[in-house]
């Protein structure tokens, strides 16, 4: 039986920079407004990062999260999913400070260290809104995104074991799915496991139908019936591969973290516009979009009343 489709919206992330779109939420108020609108459009999970309100640079300051998480919670019943990935150029300590303190229902958890190349985007622009942007992108030639087994162990213990937070396991290739399977065999994580297949990042899997099928078949083989999956395709494959994921019985993630566009050559006006588009596609396929209370049941979440904000 086809299960209800969970739509996640990743509101701002740390990949794109303010020069790339005037619609990218930056300030706490903008992030809150964008998240609430995405929820109203049909997103049951809101994946959240913080940015410096003056420059738009990725920022893990807990006080920034405190400025928008309670506001979103008061205005929406969506599941709030706080990043532990932050930015590939933050230290692990910076990335986990806010979620460790705020104890959200869900957190993202990247399942392996990798190259995370954003530098090709620097070639597309000759002028920049802020001085930090070009260098931030260029730095990804010589840095890597650290997610060691020790880092994963710590996050599972501090958030999962101690606080009851559940995870969106971000898998950029099949090796990361294998890591999830290892932790499942060890009893360190328990089903239902929620995988996010992340495709289209330079250094990870490419965004293609063949890759999606390979990742799903790998998860089927290693995890059996103990998991659900969602599809995150960066850039122009966001909608096509998200649609394919829904057809295959999975879920979908959209949002300006993953793509700034609503169609080829046209910037999205908002996160909500992307949510509205994928929701329309899903429903025209005859599928049903999951509501937040259903997501809490499906993923066995602890509930919004048990968070630290």
């Amino acid at each position: 039986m086809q299960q209800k489709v969970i739509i996640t919206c990743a509101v701002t992330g740390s990949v794109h920079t303010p020069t790339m779109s005037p619609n990218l939420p930056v300030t706490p108020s903008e992030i809150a407004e964008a998240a609430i609108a995405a929820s109203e459009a049909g997103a049951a999970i809101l994946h959240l990062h913080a940015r410096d309100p003056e420059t738009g640079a990725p920022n893990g300051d807990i006080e920034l999260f405190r400025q928008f998480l309670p506001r979103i919670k008061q205005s929406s019943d969506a599941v709030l999913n706080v990043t532990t990935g932050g930015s590939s150029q933050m230290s692990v300590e910076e990335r986990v400070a806010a979620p460790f303190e705020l104890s959200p229902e869900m957190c993202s958890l990247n399942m392996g260290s990798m190259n995370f190349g954003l530098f090709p985007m620097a070639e597309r622009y000759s002028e920049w809104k802020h001085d930090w942007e070009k260098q931030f992108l260029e730095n990804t030639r010589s840095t890597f995104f650290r997610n060691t087994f020790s880092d994963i162990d710590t996050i599972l213990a501090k958030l999962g074991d101690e606080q009851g937070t559940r995870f969106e396991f971000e898998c950029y290739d099949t090796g990361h799915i294998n890591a999830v399977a290892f932790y499942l065999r060890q009893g360190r994580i328990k089903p239902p496991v929620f995988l996010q297949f992340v495709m289209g990042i330079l250094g990870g899997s490419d965004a293609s139908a063949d890759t999606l099928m390979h990742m799903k078949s790998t998860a089927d083989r290693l995890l059996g019936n103990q998991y659900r999956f969602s599809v995150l395709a960066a850039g122009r494959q966001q909608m096509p591969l998200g649609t394919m994921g829904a057809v295959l019985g999975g879920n979908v993630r959209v949002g300006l973290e993953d793509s700034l566009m609503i169609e080829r050559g046209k910037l999205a006006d908002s996160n909500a516009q992307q949510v509205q588009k994928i929701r329309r596609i899903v429903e025209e396929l005859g599928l049903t979009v999951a509501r937040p209370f259903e997501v809490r049941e499906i993923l066995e979440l602890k509930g919004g009343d048990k968070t630290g904000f």
Side-chain angles (χ1 to χ4, degrees), residues 158 205 239 251:
K158 292 284 189 181
S205 296
M239 295 294 169
N251 307 283

Side-chain angles (χ1 to χ4, degrees), residues 96-141:
V96 300
F100 280 7
E101 180 72 19
L102 296 171
S103 187
E105 285 187 86
M106 288 192 75
C107 280
S108 62
L109 179 51
N110 299 279
M111 292 308 293
S113 300
M114 60 181 291
N115 290 331
F116 198 94
L118 305 178
F119 57 87
M121 291 193 289
E123 301 171 0
R124 303 175 191 174
Y125 304 89
S126 58
E127 297 182 1
W128 299 90
K129 187 173 181 180
H130 301 286
D131 292 341
W132 66 270
E133 296 177 72
K134 183 177 181 180
Q135 191 60 53
F136 174 83
L137 299 173
E138 289 288 357
N139 286 347
T140 64
R141 290 180 186 271

Side-chain angles (χ1 to χ4, degrees), residues 59-240:
N59 194 309
D61 187 347
I62 187 172
E63 295 307 319
L64 291 173
F65 283 92
R66 289 191 190 278
Q67 290 180 52
F68 59 77
L69 287 174
R71 180 176 169 189
I72 299 169
K73 184 178 178 180
Q74 289 168 4
S75 301
S76 166
D77 63 345
V79 175
L80 304 189
N81 173 345
V82 177
T83 181
T84 67
S87 162
S88 64
Q89 297 178 56
M90 292 180 185
S91 70
V92 175
E93 291 74 21
E94 290 174 313
R95 288 159 42 190
V96 300
F100 280 7
E101 180 72 19
L102 296 171
S103 187
E105 285 187 86
M106 288 192 75
C107 280
S108 62
L109 179 51
N110 299 279
M111 292 308 293
S113 300
M114 60 181 291
N115 290 331
F116 198 94
L118 305 178
F119 57 87
M121 291 193 289
E123 301 171 0
R124 303 175 191 174
Y125 304 89
S126 58
E127 297 182 1
W128 299 90
K129 187 173 181 180
H130 301 286
D131 292 341
W132 66 270
E133 296 177 72
K134 183 177 181 180
Q135 191 60 53
F136 174 83
L137 299 173
E138 289 288 357
N139 286 347
T140 64
R141 290 180 186 271
S142 56
T143 59
F144 72 99
F145 191 16
R146 172 179 162 163
N147 300 284
T148 66
F149 285 112
S150 178
D151 299 331
I152 294 169
D153 289 339
T154 298
I155 293 170
L156 288 175
K158 292 284 189 181
L159 284 171
D161 299 340
E162 296 180 16
Q163 302 186 41
T165 296
R166 301 282 286 185
F167 297 97
E168 168 203 0
F169 294 102
E170 297 202 344
C171 297
Y172 293 76
D173 62 32
T174 53
H176 296 171
I177 299 171
N178 192 32
V180 172
F182 166 78
Y183 282 106
L184 188 63
R185 291 194 303 271
Q186 295 292 312
R188 294 291 291 108
I189 61 176
K190 295 179 172 55
V193 174
F194 189 55
L195 300 186
Q196 190 71 253
F197 296 157
V198 185
M199 297 179 290
I201 297 296
L202 183 60
S205 296
D206 68 311
S208 67
D210 286 345
T211 295
L212 175 52
M213 292 304 299
H214 178 53
M215 294 183 82
K216 183 179 182 301
S217 65
T218 300
D220 288 343
R221 176 170 52 83
L222 295 177
L223 304 176
N225 62 359
Q226 300 183 89
Y227 84 103
R228 293 193 59 154
F229 74 94
S230 177
V231 175
L232 181 178
R236 62 188 180 89
Q237 295 300 327
Q238 181 186 64
M239 295 294 169

Side-chain angles (χ1 to χ4, degrees), residues 40-63:
E40 292 172 347
I45 300 176
L46 301 170
H47 176 61
L48 299 161
H49 290 238
R51 290 178 179 265
D52 183 302
E54 298 298 325
T55 68
N59 194 309
D61 187 347
I62 187 172
E63 295 307 319

